[in-house]
């Protein structure tokens, strides 16, 4: 009996869109180590594993199902982790014409903007910390001294970071011209 044309067409489309992505044992171990690293730095386990997968995998973009299958996790866990990663802008997605799937990728390609934004937020703590220091009593001079030193260091970084970043950009531009 011949398969109906619509079912055959849908199966062909599904097979064409679903690449057979494989990971080596070394890649799997690296994903796990990176995931543990992220976890130790405050990123939930599955978010860390997905970020690691998107960095380690040879494919630059993976579908929801590919991520789920490669990590061996449930649909709900995959969905929840991807939503969090999208909200925190650690992961981006693209779509393709004629394909309803989303293709997820690491947002490492926009690392400069993300890095700069993170530092700007970090430097924003200076004003609040100064206010807190001003409201502290003199009963804890050692703590107050350490807090003042912290504020001074953050102020120093807020001046030096943009200079260092610009220096790196200039060096990187020069290196690219020479290659």
């Amino acid at each position: 009996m011949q398969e109906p044309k619509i079912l055959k067409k849908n199966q062909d489309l599904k097979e064409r869109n679903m690449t057979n992505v494989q990971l080596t044992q070394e890649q799997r171990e690296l994903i796990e180590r990176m995931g543990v690293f992220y976890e130790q730095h405050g990123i939930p386990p599955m978010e860390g594993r997905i970020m690691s997968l998107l960095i380690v995998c040879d494919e630059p973009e993976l579908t929801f199902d590919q991520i789920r299958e490669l990590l061996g996790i449930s649909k709900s866990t995959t969905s929840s982790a991807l939503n969090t990663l999208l909200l925190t802008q650690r992961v981006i997605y693209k779509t393709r014409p004629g394909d309803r799937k989303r293709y997820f990728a690491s947002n490492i390609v926009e690392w400069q903007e993300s890095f700069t934004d993170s530092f700007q937020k970090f430097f924003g703590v200076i004003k609040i910390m100064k206010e807190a220091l001003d409201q502290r009593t003199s009963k804890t001079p050692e703590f107050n001294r350490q807090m003042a030193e912290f504020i001074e260091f953050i102020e120093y970084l807020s001046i030096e970071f943009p200079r260092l970043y610009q220096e790196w950009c200039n060096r990187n531009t020069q290196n690219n011209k020479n290659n």
Side-chain angles (χ1 to χ4, degrees), residues 68-82:
R68 185 180 60 74
E69 289 172 15
L70 288 167
L71 293 177
I73 55 179
S74 70
K75 287 182 179 183
S76 62
T77 299
T78 306
S79 179
S80 177
L82 282 171

mmCIF file of all heavy atoms in Angstrom, residues 68-82:
data_model
loop_
_atom_site.group_PDB
_atom_site.id
_atom_site.type_symbol
_atom_site.label_atom_id
_atom_site.label_comp_id
_atom_site.label_asym_id
_atom_site.label_seq_id
_atom_site.Cartn_x
_atom_site.Cartn_y
_atom_site.Cartn_z
ATOM 1 N N ARG A 68 17.098 18.839 23.419
ATOM 2 C CA ARG A 68 16.469 17.886 24.346
ATOM 3 C C ARG A 68 17.075 16.496 24.201
ATOM 4 O O ARG A 68 17.441 15.852 25.189
ATOM 5 C CB ARG A 68 14.961 17.854 24.068
ATOM 6 C CG ARG A 68 14.155 17.018 25.023
ATOM 7 C CD ARG A 68 12.675 17.040 24.673
ATOM 8 N NE ARG A 68 12.395 16.531 23.337
ATOM 9 C CZ ARG A 68 12.440 15.244 22.993
ATOM 10 N NH1 ARG A 68 12.766 14.331 23.880
ATOM 11 N NH2 ARG A 68 12.153 14.868 21.761
ATOM 12 N N GLU A 69 17.222 16.052 22.975
ATOM 13 C CA GLU A 69 17.752 14.708 22.731
ATOM 14 C C GLU A 69 19.226 14.588 23.097
ATOM 15 O O GLU A 69 19.651 13.604 23.702
ATOM 16 C CB GLU A 69 17.532 14.314 21.270
ATOM 17 C CG GLU A 69 16.077 14.047 20.954
ATOM 18 C CD GLU A 69 15.810 13.839 19.469
ATOM 19 O OE1 GLU A 69 16.782 13.628 18.703
ATOM 20 O OE2 GLU A 69 14.641 13.896 19.078
ATOM 21 N N LEU A 70 20.025 15.582 22.731
ATOM 22 C CA LEU A 70 21.460 15.524 23.013
ATOM 23 C C LEU A 70 21.765 15.540 24.510
ATOM 24 O O LEU A 70 22.722 14.924 24.960
ATOM 25 C CB LEU A 70 22.195 16.668 22.315
ATOM 26 C CG LEU A 70 22.320 16.521 20.798
ATOM 27 C CD1 LEU A 70 22.759 17.825 20.165
ATOM 28 C CD2 LEU A 70 23.283 15.396 20.446
ATOM 29 N N LEU A 71 20.945 16.258 25.275
ATOM 30 C CA LEU A 71 21.169 16.329 26.723
ATOM 31 C C LEU A 71 20.348 15.302 27.493
ATOM 32 O O LEU A 71 20.538 15.136 28.694
ATOM 33 C CB LEU A 71 20.871 17.743 27.234
ATOM 34 C CG LEU A 71 21.823 18.830 26.741
ATOM 35 C CD1 LEU A 71 21.394 20.198 27.254
ATOM 36 C CD2 LEU A 71 23.263 18.538 27.144
ATOM 37 N N GLY A 72 19.421 14.640 26.804
ATOM 38 C CA GLY A 72 18.602 13.621 27.460
ATOM 39 C C GLY A 72 17.699 14.199 28.535
ATOM 40 O O GLY A 72 17.589 13.635 29.622
ATOM 41 N N ILE A 73 17.055 15.321 28.229
ATOM 42 C CA ILE A 73 16.194 15.988 29.212
ATOM 43 C C ILE A 73 14.767 16.085 28.679
ATOM 44 O O ILE A 73 14.528 15.953 27.479
ATOM 45 C CB ILE A 73 16.737 17.382 29.603
ATOM 46 C CG1 ILE A 73 16.947 18.281 28.379
ATOM 47 C CG2 ILE A 73 18.030 17.237 30.384
ATOM 48 C CD1 ILE A 73 17.464 19.677 28.689
ATOM 49 N N SER A 74 13.840 16.321 29.583
ATOM 50 C CA SER A 74 12.424 16.360 29.214
ATOM 51 C C SER A 74 12.083 17.639 28.447
ATOM 52 O O SER A 74 12.833 18.615 28.463
ATOM 53 C CB SER A 74 11.557 16.291 30.470
ATOM 54 O OG SER A 74 11.662 17.500 31.200
ATOM 55 N N LYS A 75 10.915 17.608 27.806
ATOM 56 C CA LYS A 75 10.439 18.781 27.077
ATOM 57 C C LYS A 75 10.231 19.966 28.018
ATOM 58 O O LYS A 75 10.605 21.091 27.702
ATOM 59 C CB LYS A 75 9.130 18.466 26.352
ATOM 60 C CG LYS A 75 9.296 17.592 25.141
ATOM 61 C CD LYS A 75 7.965 17.375 24.445
ATOM 62 C CE LYS A 75 8.143 16.518 23.204
ATOM 63 N NZ LYS A 75 6.888 16.354 22.481
ATOM 64 N N SER A 76 9.642 19.708 29.184
ATOM 65 C CA SER A 76 9.365 20.818 30.109
ATOM 66 C C SER A 76 10.653 21.423 30.654
ATOM 67 O O SER A 76 10.770 22.639 30.783
ATOM 68 C CB SER A 76 8.458 20.366 31.249
ATOM 69 O OG SER A 76 9.075 19.361 32.016
ATOM 70 N N THR A 77 11.639 20.581 30.949
ATOM 71 C CA THR A 77 12.931 21.079 31.434
ATOM 72 C C THR A 77 13.622 21.891 30.344
ATOM 73 O O THR A 77 14.159 22.976 30.608
ATOM 74 C CB THR A 77 13.834 19.911 31.879
ATOM 75 O OG1 THR A 77 13.182 19.213 32.945
ATOM 76 C CG2 THR A 77 15.187 20.391 32.337
ATOM 77 N N THR A 78 13.591 21.388 29.120
ATOM 78 C CA THR A 78 14.202 22.094 27.993
ATOM 79 C C THR A 78 13.520 23.441 27.787
ATOM 80 O O THR A 78 14.182 24.471 27.651
ATOM 81 C CB THR A 78 14.109 21.250 26.701
ATOM 82 O OG1 THR A 78 14.661 19.961 26.951
ATOM 83 C CG2 THR A 78 14.842 21.911 25.547
ATOM 84 N N SER A 79 12.208 23.434 27.784
ATOM 85 C CA SER A 79 11.438 24.656 27.569
ATOM 86 C C SER A 79 11.725 25.691 28.651
ATOM 87 O O SER A 79 11.988 26.862 28.356
ATOM 88 C CB SER A 79 9.947 24.329 27.533
ATOM 89 O OG SER A 79 9.199 25.503 27.347
ATOM 90 N N SER A 80 11.688 25.270 29.891
ATOM 91 C CA SER A 80 11.930 26.180 31.010
ATOM 92 C C SER A 80 13.337 26.776 30.941
ATOM 93 O O SER A 80 13.520 27.988 31.101
ATOM 94 C CB SER A 80 11.730 25.424 32.319
ATOM 95 O OG SER A 80 12.014 26.256 33.411
ATOM 96 N N ALA A 81 14.324 25.931 30.698
ATOM 97 C CA ALA A 81 15.711 26.402 30.644
ATOM 98 C C ALA A 81 15.928 27.351 29.466
ATOM 99 O O ALA A 81 16.568 28.394 29.619
ATOM 100 C CB ALA A 81 16.662 25.213 30.559
ATOM 101 N N LEU A 82 15.382 27.007 28.301
ATOM 102 C CA LEU A 82 15.543 27.883 27.139
ATOM 103 C C LEU A 82 14.849 29.230 27.356
ATOM 104 O O LEU A 82 15.394 30.275 26.978
ATOM 105 C CB LEU A 82 15.013 27.210 25.872
ATOM 106 C CG LEU A 82 15.934 26.171 25.249
ATOM 107 C CD1 LEU A 82 15.224 25.420 24.129
ATOM 108 C CD2 LEU A 82 17.228 26.802 24.739
#
